[in-house]
Amino acid sequence: MATVTTDPYSGLQLVELSHEWGHGAPSMPGQDDVIMFRSVKFAQHGVMAHRIKTVMHTGTHMNAPLHLVQCAADLAAIPVDRFFGNGVVLNIPKKSYEVITAGDLEAASPRVQPGDIVVIVTGWHHKYSDAIAYFGESPGLSRDAAEWLVKKDCKLVGVDTPQVDHPLATSLGPHRGGPLMRRLAADYQQATGLDPKKEHPEWNVAHKTLLAAGIPTIEQVGGDVDLLVGRRATFAATPWKFVYGDACQVRFVGMFDPSG
């Protein structure tokens, strides 16, 4: 059930925009699962501490420009003002294998303003799970959508999908080290009648476009984001100050004044 926390001093209402993270969190095909255990526990030691081994790209996480752009800013080098600010949650419903275009962003309401934090909600966060469909059939941004966001000088871009790009534009499909999902290209062609290599010829082109412009991204936005769909809000993200860090799990929160 969706919950809203009301700040007793300002009256602002705070909304959770992160998926729960921990043992069993869905991991990208080709990546290891989260491994965690209690190295110190109450019954034996009177205190608890966990050991964790994880890929930083599990669950709701932030990507630094360094993730896809060599010599670009790492997490520690991103200006902190990019982690907090006003913006918009865009409702852009998409079905399996569909693409988010610049036209979709232009038509969405409320209008994106220069310098906004932009969160794109396709409805895919409801499918968050260890599933072929969640990772392989998700929608993704086109090149022109990413270029549109860059022109708006966005401060931060979040998506409710497993990755910014369409999965056939990533290594899940026949790109670089892929296909990490061997049947994905054939399934896509059978479902859509389209040639994946023709429709998605460039590897991670949307994500690289955003990161090359210095715009950090948050993938797998979730939580109670439905409460903010179609409205403006203020956002706060809390990544690690991680030198040479390409990504990390992030707590992402939206807030709004119920009085308007």
Side-chain angles (χ1 to χ4, degrees), residues 2 7 61 79 89-90 107 115 123 126 220 252:
D7 178 74
H61 62 279
V89 180
L90 301 180
H126 293 297
Q220 301 182 38
F252 192 35

Side-chain angles (χ1 to χ4, degrees), residues 107-209:
S109 179
R111 306 282 290 179
V112 174
Q113 299 176 13
D116 268 350
I117 291 175
V118 176
V119 179
I120 299 168
V121 176
T122 66
W124 215 254
H125 60 289
H126 293 297
K127 299 178 184 287
Y128 182 69
S129 62
D130 176 28
I132 292 171
Y134 175 67
F135 288 105
E137 297 180 16
S138 66
L141 272 67
S142 63
R143 173 197 275 274
D144 72 336
E147 291 172 343
W148 189 93
L149 292 164
V150 170
K151 288 178 183 176
K152 288 290 184 180
D153 193 27
C154 293
K155 183 178 284 190
L156 175 69
V157 171
V159 296
D160 73 337
T161 53
Q163 58 271 319
V164 167
D165 280 88
H166 192 283
L168 265 303
T170 73
S171 297
L172 296 181
H175 281 283
R176 297 211 173 183
L180 296 176
M181 299 182 74
R182 295 180 182 275
R183 50 192 242 185
L184 180 57
D187 286 352
Y188 170 81
Q189 194 156 14
Q190 183 175 4
T192 66
L194 301 172
D195 181 346
K197 292 185 178 180
K198 181 178 178 181
E199 300 297 323
H200 304 284
E202 299 177 278
W203 178 74
N204 277 312
V205 62
H207 208 178
K208 286 175 69 177
T209 298

Side-chain angles (χ1 to χ4, degrees), residues 205-228:
V205 62
H207 208 178
K208 286 175 69 177
T209 298
L210 292 170
L211 296 179
I215 301 172
T217 58
I218 296 179
E219 294 171 316
Q220 301 182 38
V221 172
D224 297 322
V225 69
D226 288 336
L227 295 176
L228 295 180

Side-chain angles (χ1 to χ4, degrees), residues 210-256:
L210 292 170
L211 296 179
I215 301 172
T217 58
I218 296 179
E219 294 171 316
Q220 301 182 38
V221 172
D224 297 322
V225 69
D226 288 336
L227 295 176
L228 295 180
V229 163
R231 67 187 302 167
R232 294 192 62 79
T234 300
F235 301 93
T238 54
W240 303 359
K241 192 174 182 179
F242 181 5
V243 177
Y244 302 121
D246 61 297
C248 72
Q249 284 73 34
V250 68
R251 195 72 181 266
F252 192 35
V253 177
M255 59 195 87
F256 64 96

